Amino acid sequence: MLQVVQVYDRAPITEIETDDAAALERKLQAAQAVFKDRDNWLKPHQRMAILRKLAGLLEAKRDHFAMQIAREGGKPLPDAIVEANRAVDGVNNAADELRNFAGREIPMGLSAAADGRWAFTTKEPIGIVAAISAFNHPLNLIVHQVAPAIATGCPVIVKPAGTTPLSCIDFVRLVHEAGLPEAWCQTFVPAETALAEKLATDPRIAFLSFIGSAKVGWYLHSKLAPGARSALEHGGVAPAIVDRSANLEAIIEPIVKGGYYHAGQVCVSTQRIYVHDSIVNDFTERLVARVKKLRTGDPTLGDTEVGPLITPKEADRVADWIDEAVKGGAKLLAGGKRLSETTLEPTVLVDPAPEARISREEIFGPAVAIYRFRDLDDAIARANSLPVSFQSSIFAQDIDVALRAANRLDASAVMINDPTTFRTDWMPFAGRRVSGYGTGGIPFTMHDMTQEKMILMKRR
């Protein structure tokens, strides 16, 4: 049995049964059987109808999911409500995408050898999808992995994070209630970590969708069966550059949201802030004042802005990183105190050493670091200096500065006057280098979960 607890106070919520190796084999066999039965594949209009019904069922239970996200995941309730709304929209997005999800004509007659022929491609589901998810968006991440599989006609076996399985389990129940036969979408809650690897690397798996640590993701990627594809979504140490032309009145709130949303437990959370020397004192004063006013505590309360870390162990680690930075010479201007077993004060550090872990690695906690710069290209070079690369930001009113930074920042997305955490669920969302592989976002995932087949016809 797996005990699920409230993140904030560690109070038990429930216990759920776990799956063993025999259960995994049964689930794989069931998925393989329905996928091999091509005559009974669901037609696009049937999949659209299931997704539409699922969106309605999900919307009707929005408040249930929002509170569950706050309890099992620790996300403040206002943000959890946003996540639940996004999940509804994501399911509809997958259904909408099917209207334009098509192959293409391949031109023939361009050479004598190709004359008298007609060719076109169709899209077919790639096969069984293994989806391994993370705790920080326990509903919406599941939607991003499962809804595209339903839309494209792929059987999917989804493994939620062990700390936050309830939202996934409840969502999959709604999938079945919406009319999708159980074998096409199954949960997998393993009794031991090794079984997750066994799922991902099974030769029957055609596509691995992995959201989590780079160490685990790249390891699983290296063990995939021949021909299997993958999409990996890891973390970053997201940089934001604040130019001297930036409107300080307008940017403090988005930067605070970027750094402390879900207590910094987001793969594109703002962590390194490079501020022009001429405004760094004013910027720091304003940022610290706002951070000190953040309401930190019980995520199930409607006015909480920053909640807990996912486990006491993670809170210990983040506190250690902050202490290390301070001992190495960083100035601690806000936060740094432990409020409970899982909760830390939102923290602002100034000028940590380059070798400090907060300067080099993803802290995944409620802490940001400020560094001063004089030359824009130097700030860009420092922002680009790490092996991780995901989303980044430039705050500037000078359009030349904004575009120069946007052109030179090594990131999959550059936000101009928006935080590094900005995302819509239909935009491409991808890490570069260590930070990931493939492209997320519901339409892009649907593309990855299909394969093109060309059909050629010779005219008489």
Side-chain angles (χ1 to χ4, degrees):
M1 300 292 287
L2 174 67
Q3 186 176 68
V4 184
V5 302
Q6 293 189 150
V7 175
Y8 180 63
D9 58 10
R10 313 302 292 168
I13 298 175
T14 189
E15 287 188 338
I16 60 174
E17 289 191 16
T18 54
D19 294 308
D20 58 14
L24 173 59
E25 180 58 27
R26 287 195 299 272
K27 292 170 191 276
L28 284 165
Q29 287 183 8
Q32 185 181 42
V34 292
F35 188 69
K36 282 188 170 183
D37 185 10
R38 184 178 285 255
D39 289 339
N40 286 307
W41 282 4
L42 295 174
K43 304 295 189 294
H45 70 88
Q46 294 174 305
R47 287 180 257 136
M48 286 179 71
I50 288 168
L51 289 165
R52 295 294 187 209
K53 185 174 181 181
L54 173 60
L57 293 170
L58 191 57
E59 187 167 22
K61 297 200 71 172
R62 185 197 72 169
D63 292 344
H64 161 77
F65 277 105
M67 183 57 72
Q68 189 156 268
I69 291 164
R71 293 181 71 200
E72 71 170 343
K75 181 176 290 184
L77 186 57
D79 295 325
I81 292 171
V82 172
E83 178 176 342
N85 286 331
R86 283 178 61 189
V88 174
D89 188 63
V91 173
N92 278 320
N93 186 191
D96 291 341
E97 190 66 20
L98 280 173
R99 293 190 178 277
N100 298 298
F101 205 64
R104 58 199 173 97
E105 184 178 354
I106 306 298
M108 291 287 121
L110 302 180
S111 68
D115 199 22
R117 290 165 176 84
W118 176 48
F120 59 93
T121 66
T122 61
K123 287 182 178 287
E124 292 187 338
I126 192 172
I128 302 173
V129 172
I132 298 178
S133 205
F135 76 85
N136 53 341
H137 306 285
L139 175 61
N140 203 42
L141 291 181
I142 300 297
V143 167
H144 272 253
Q145 295 171 297
V146 170
I150 296 171
T152 55
C154 291
V156 57
I157 301 173
V158 56
K159 178 209 166 297
T163 49
T164 56
L166 301 181
S167 294
C168 175
I169 291 169
D170 285 353
F171 175 74
V172 171
R173 285 197 188 109
L174 293 186
V175 169
H176 299 153
E177 187 179 338
L180 188 72
E182 184 175 345
W184 286 94
C185 182
Q186 304 173 84
T187 58
F188 179 59
V189 182
E192 53 186 279
T193 306
L195 287 177
E197 178 181 345
K198 191 171 183 181
L199 165 65
T201 59
D202 188 277
R204 288 164 288 190
I205 296 298
F207 187 87
L208 168 65
S209 172
F210 177 87
I211 304 172
S213 79
K215 180 180 179 181
V216 175
W218 286 112
Y219 170 78
L220 292 178
H221 179 80
S222 73
K223 299 292 183 180
L224 294 181
R229 295 186 196 164
S230 71
L232 311 178
E233 186 180 308
H234 303 144
V237 188
I241 296 174
V242 181
D243 181 60
R244 59 184 164 187
S245 68
N247 180 354
L248 294 186
E249 291 285 346
I251 72 171
I252 296 300
E253 203 61 36
I255 287 178
V256 168
K257 189 68 175 179
Y260 302 98
Y261 168 70
H262 199 7
Q265 297 169 114
V266 185
C267 59
V268 288
S269 181
T270 305
Q271 184 170 324
R272 298 175 291 153
I273 307 174
Y274 298 95
V275 186
H276 193 276
D277 188 68
S278 64
I279 62 166
V280 69
N281 292 335
D282 191 7
F283 171 86
T284 302
E285 183 179 329
R286 291 170 184 254
L287 182 70
V288 168
R290 178 65 182 96
V291 169
K292 286 183 175 179
K293 292 179 182 178
L294 287 170
R295 295 181 295 275
T296 305
D298 186 344
T300 64
L301 302 179
D303 64 348
T304 297
E305 295 175 284
V306 179
L309 279 297
I310 189 65
T311 62
K313 182 179 178 181
E314 282 300 292
D316 290 341
R317 180 190 59 77
V318 173
D320 286 346
W321 285 31
I322 293 168
D323 290 343
E324 175 205 63
V326 172
K327 288 175 182 177
K331 296 176 184 175
L332 178 65
L333 297 189
K337 294 180 182 177
R338 190 75 167 262
L339 300 178
S340 74
E341 192 177 11
T342 55
T343 312
L344 296 173
E345 282 185 334
T347 299
V348 178
L349 296 164
V350 175
D351 290 327
E355 63 272 14
R357 280 178 289 184
I358 195 171
S359 298
R360 298 182 291 107
E361 302 174 37
E362 183 181 33
I363 193 167
F364 225 59
V368 303
I370 297 171
Y371 311 83
R372 64 181 67 220
F373 74 91
R374 292 184 179 178
D375 178 73
L376 176 64
D377 287 349
D378 173 61
I380 293 170
R382 290 158 70 186
N384 291 343
S385 64
L386 301 180
V388 291
S389 175
F390 215 136
Q391 298 193 163
S392 61
S393 292
I394 172 68
F395 291 90
Q397 293 299 299
D398 185 327
I399 189 66
D400 290 334
V401 169
L403 292 180
R404 183 175 182 84
N407 186 48
R408 286 164 172 74
L409 281 166
D410 184 5
S412 58
V414 179
M415 311 303 168
I416 298 176
N417 295 322
D418 251 332
T420 59
T421 49
F422 180 83
R423 183 184 185 185
T424 65
D425 295 314
W426 57 89
M427 77 186 208
F429 189 73
R432 291 183 175 181
R433 301 199 302 273
V434 174
S435 291
Y437 183 78
T439 304
I442 285 169
F444 302 91
T445 300
M446 286 174 62
H447 172 78
D448 285 348
M449 287 182 179
T450 58
Q451 50 195 348
E452 281 195 326
K453 174 187 283 182
M454 193 189 78
I455 298 173
L456 185 142
M457 182 185 301
K458 185 177 181 182
R459 302 185 188 129
R460 290 187 177 181

